[in-house]
Amino acid sequence: MTRDLNFRVFRACLFAIGFGLAGLSSLLVSSGARADEFCLRMAMPEVTRDAVGVEAYRRAMADAGLCIIPISMPNARSVVAMRNGEVDGVFAGLDDFAEQVGRPLIRGDLPVGAVSGVLVVRDGDIKSLDDLTDQAVGIWLGSSWAEKLMAGYPNVMRCPAGPEMMQELMRAGRLDAMLINEFSLILTGGLPDGFVSIPVMELEVYTWLRAEFSDYLPLIEKGNQAYVDILKKWRKKAS
């Protein structure tokens, strides 16, 4: 009986190893990478998709000579993933990203985004953040700029699913306003009917890498230039 139990444990271990290898193989195939090729794992904002999504980013990096496995994840999750070593870098993070992560990182020199942070609110008497009183304001969980602007405000709803979740809540009447960057607003359908956007802050975001991968930064910057051009062309068509 002991021999039979040992055999079943051994077989279960082999199955688990095989399942893990199959999952790794699937990830490599889906990312266009060879099994023997070194690839950086890069966190991408979950809002990027379709023509400006992870595949376009992967191709831009491949053209620059670098294998990248892009992984879509929420902003807050990317901080934890960098801290735990689950990813090697993030495509876009604000200047305080390294402070949030709390480990050695390097920042690219080329801004990958420069957009307005806006307050989206019903058309009416509110013209600035100072006019808010008890309105329910949504912010993207992990969005440090919005957290700082709303520090001390009593009625903030932090949305883990980001812009799309905030849009749904506003259309359902559960949010009165939201803080969002202008690019994400466009990607998720633009202004809801009856709402206006009020610029509150200019935002620049950069690519960040774990310090041990600093040698790859020049290729990352080269790929970023091509990808940012794709973003600009898409945004011009969408606006």
Side-chain angles (χ1 to χ4, degrees):
M1 183 171 179
T2 301
R3 181 184 301 173
D4 182 59
L5 177 61
N6 288 338
F7 175 74
R8 280 184 288 167
V9 171
F10 176 70
R11 184 173 61 184
C13 290
L14 285 179
F15 176 79
I17 293 171
F19 183 79
L21 290 174
L24 176 60
S25 175
S26 175
L27 177 61
L28 291 173
V29 169
S30 65
S31 66
R34 301 190 311 269
D36 61 346
E37 186 176 20
F38 173 75
C39 300
L40 288 172
R41 300 161 299 170
M42 296 292 292
M44 298 287 290
E46 59 182 338
V47 74
T48 55
R49 59 181 184 270
D50 302 331
V52 293
V54 293
E55 180 57 24
Y57 177 74
R58 187 197 66 76
R59 287 197 306 267
M61 288 299 165
D63 290 342
L66 187 60
C67 176
I68 291 290
I69 299 176
I71 306 169
S72 295
M73 62 175 61
N75 282 352
R77 177 60 186 152
S78 69
V79 173
V80 177
M82 281 287 277
R83 186 181 299 145
N84 295 341
E86 297 171 31
V87 295
D88 306 311
V90 297
F91 168 67
L94 293 170
D95 265 337
D96 64 352
F97 186 77
E99 180 182 334
Q100 294 181 67
V101 173
R103 64 176 296 170
L105 304 178
I106 57 168
R107 196 202 77 178
D109 293 324
L110 172 72
V112 296
V115 296
S116 294
V118 297
L119 173 68
V120 176
V121 67
R122 289 191 181 279
D123 193 6
D125 296 332
I126 295 176
K127 305 299 181 184
S128 71
L129 291 173
D130 293 337
D131 294 328
L132 294 171
T133 53
D134 61 349
Q135 291 83 6
V137 180
I139 65 173
W140 193 347
L141 182 65
S143 181
S144 58
W145 68 272
E147 288 281 5
K148 290 175 181 177
L149 287 178
M150 300 308 293
Y153 186 77
N155 200 5
V156 173
M157 182 181 295
R158 293 165 179 83
C159 300
E164 291 180 337
M165 180 179 181
M166 291 192 291
Q167 288 271 25
E168 290 175 6
L169 291 173
M170 289 190 74
R171 291 188 171 96
R174 296 180 58 191
L175 279 179
D176 302 309
M178 65 179 172
L179 281 172
I180 186 173
N181 72 75
E182 197 172 36
F183 185 66
S184 295
L185 178 63
I186 294 171
L187 278 177
T188 53
L191 285 169
D193 291 340
F195 285 78
V196 295
S197 65
I198 301 168
V200 294
M201 187 177 185
E202 290 302 307
L203 304 169
E204 282 193 339
V205 291
Y206 300 83
T207 286
W208 293 84
L209 289 176
R210 288 162 53 189
E212 58 265 40
F213 297 115
S214 60
D215 290 346
Y216 293 96
L217 188 58
L219 290 179
I220 288 280
E221 295 276 79
K222 181 180 178 181
N224 277 345
Q225 287 181 331
Y227 185 59
V228 168
D229 286 341
I230 294 172
L231 294 178
K232 287 179 179 177
K233 289 177 182 177
W234 184 91
R235 188 176 179 187
K236 187 176 180 179
K237 290 180 181 178
S239 59

